[in-house]
Amino acid sequence: MEDKEMLTIREMCEAFDVTPRTLRFYEAKELLFPLREGQKRLFTRRDRGRLKLILRGKRFGFSLEEMRQLLDLYDRGDAQEEQLKRTYEVARDRLAQMERQRDELNEAIEELRGQLQWGADMIASFRRPAAE
Amino acid sequence: MEDKEMLTIREMCEAFDVTPRTLRFYEAKELLFPLREGQKRLFTRRDRGRLKLILRGKRFGFSLEEMRQLLDLYDRGDAQEEQLKRTYEVARDRLAQMERQRDELNEAIEELRGQLQWGADMIASFRRPAAE
DNA sequence: ACCCAAGTTGACGTTAACGTAATCCGATAC
DNA sequence: GTATCGGATTACGTTAACGTCAACTTGGGT
């Protein structure tokens, strides 16, 4: 027994800084599978592992659905080469997607920066177009 | 009479590549104020000017509500120094916000890229945590 | 016995910016 | 007259990821 084997919902929340609602929501979405002691949920080491990956995925911009698919894919026992490659590709695609997003953002930034350079012009561009 | 003075909803849609729903929606949100010829909307030059700014704002990531405020602010006749400065500030804030967003995105990208560098490790990180 | 904290389920609310019918109206084309 | 446009209005649907009650139950402490 290194840590506690099982964590209550509250302990889990503190450990990962999420709300109970979130954990129940993730369970409903089949991202976590806590055991039950009577009514109460008990989160296993496996749940902790999954949650850690889920949160990491979120930082990367994966949706919960994408994470569920990835987790499911590699949870059915022996992940084979073929499937490992797919995960890898999903991650690569996501990276490319994020880079495109960043580039678009950069363009918008440059465009806006350009407007600001002109100062008064920027302001003028927000005035009503001429007179009537 | 340079162009047409007034445009129907359909002409407006083609000119700006938006749907009728969008224009009616913008009117409901008080971003546009087309005149009425009987029942039909007629979009004036002023509406065209506003729509142009609205779409530009969207590219910058402004929400419709933010654009409405900006447009309203400078639509009440004589925009004074004080208010002009405010618009300028809103734009500057927005720029800073976008830059932060871009930076966060870059961090996530670097983090993900790091994972991918390790290839197999990335994959492993998506497998279920060890055995049970 | 009584109460409280912690936990549960269920269900509706939130936000943005429209999409998608369904139904209706008036003017033109034939 | 009638079919057909172009347009109008109304109102519910969509998406993601939870938030926010409400109403219970359960286990433990006193």
Side-chain angles (χ1 to χ4, degrees):
Chain A
M1 333 115 177
E2 17 198 274
D3 285 315
K4 276 179 186 158
E5 264 309 306
M6 314 279 203
L7 298 184
T8 73
I9 199 170
R10 200 50 72 177
E11 293 168 329
M12 195 74 169
C13 288
E14 280 166 27
F16 291 92
D17 192 35
V18 296
T19 70
R21 181 68 180 91
T22 299
L23 295 180
R24 296 191 193 107
F25 181 75
Y26 286 178
E27 182 184 1
K29 291 287 177 176
E30 304 195 83
L31 286 156
L32 299 178
F33 309 94
L35 302 176
R36 296 304 177 105
E37 187 185 72
Q39 276 287 34
K40 299 178 182 175
R41 291 171 175 79
L42 287 180
F43 294 85
T44 68
R45 192 159 63 92
R46 171 150 169 250
D47 289 314
R48 281 169 290 189
R50 292 177 73 99
L51 181 55
K52 183 177 172 185
L53 293 177
I54 291 164
L55 297 179
R56 173 188 294 178
K58 289 198 66 177
R59 288 206 310 283
F60 293 161
F62 288 92
S63 71
L64 292 184
E65 174 57 16
E66 288 173 318
M67 287 308 297
R68 192 188 61 72
Q69 286 176 27
L70 287 177
L71 288 169
D72 278 13
L73 203 52
Y74 294 97
D75 209 38
R76 349 184 144 287
D78 43 13
Q80 298 308 354
E81 273 299 314
E82 186 53 31
Q83 303 189 319
L84 290 175
K85 274 174 63 182
R86 267 197 248 161
T87 301
Y88 193 75
E89 280 163 22
V90 169
R92 287 237 326 276
D93 286 355
R94 180 65 200 162
L95 176 58
Q97 195 177 328
M98 288 170 69
E99 286 174 328
R100 275 198 304 280
Q101 199 177 323
R102 179 200 52 188
D103 293 343
E104 279 177 36
L105 203 48
N106 268 326
E107 279 182 47
I109 287 173
E110 290 313 315
E111 198 176 341
L112 181 51
R113 204 198 296 286
Q115 300 280 325
L116 286 174
Q117 291 287 341
W118 286 95
D121 261 33
M122 172 66 185
I123 289 166
S125 81
F126 279 107
R127 301 182 75 160
R128 74 161 180 283
E132 301 228 51
Chain B
M1 337 110 177
E2 15 199 276
D3 284 316
K4 275 177 187 158
E5 264 309 304
M6 313 277 201
L7 300 184
T8 72
I9 198 169
R10 201 51 72 179
E11 294 167 327
M12 194 73 169
C13 288
E14 278 165 29
F16 291 93
D17 192 34
V18 296
T19 71
R21 180 68 179 92
T22 299
L23 295 181
R24 298 194 192 105
F25 181 74
Y26 287 177
E27 182 184 2
K29 290 288 178 178
E30 305 195 81
L31 285 156
L32 299 177
F33 309 94
L35 302 176
R36 297 303 178 105
E37 185 186 74
Q39 275 290 30
K40 299 179 182 176
R41 289 172 175 79
L42 286 181
F43 294 86
T44 69
R45 193 159 63 94
R46 173 151 168 250
D47 289 316
R48 282 169 289 191
R50 293 178 71 99
L51 181 55
K52 183 176 174 184
L53 293 177
I54 291 164
L55 297 179
R56 174 188 293 178
K58 289 198 66 177
R59 288 206 309 284
F60 293 161
F62 288 92
S63 70
L64 292 184
E65 174 56 19
E66 286 173 319
M67 287 309 296
R68 192 188 60 72
Q69 287 176 26
L70 286 177
L71 288 170
D72 279 11
L73 202 52
Y74 293 96
D75 209 36
R76 349 183 145 286
D78 43 13
Q80 300 308 353
E81 274 298 314
E82 186 53 32
Q83 304 189 318
L84 290 175
K85 275 175 63 182
R86 266 198 247 161
T87 300
Y88 194 76
E89 280 163 22
V90 169
R92 286 238 327 276
D93 285 356
R94 180 65 202 164
L95 177 58
Q97 195 178 328
M98 288 169 69
E99 286 175 327
R100 276 199 303 281
Q101 198 177 324
R102 178 199 53 188
D103 292 344
E104 279 177 36
L105 203 49
N106 268 325
E107 278 183 47
I109 286 173
E110 289 313 316
E111 197 177 340
L112 182 51
R113 205 199 294 288
Q115 299 281 325
L116 286 173
Q117 290 289 340
W118 287 94
D121 261 32
M122 172 64 186
I123 289 166
S125 81
F126 278 108
R127 302 182 73 161
R128 74 162 178 283
E132 300 229 54

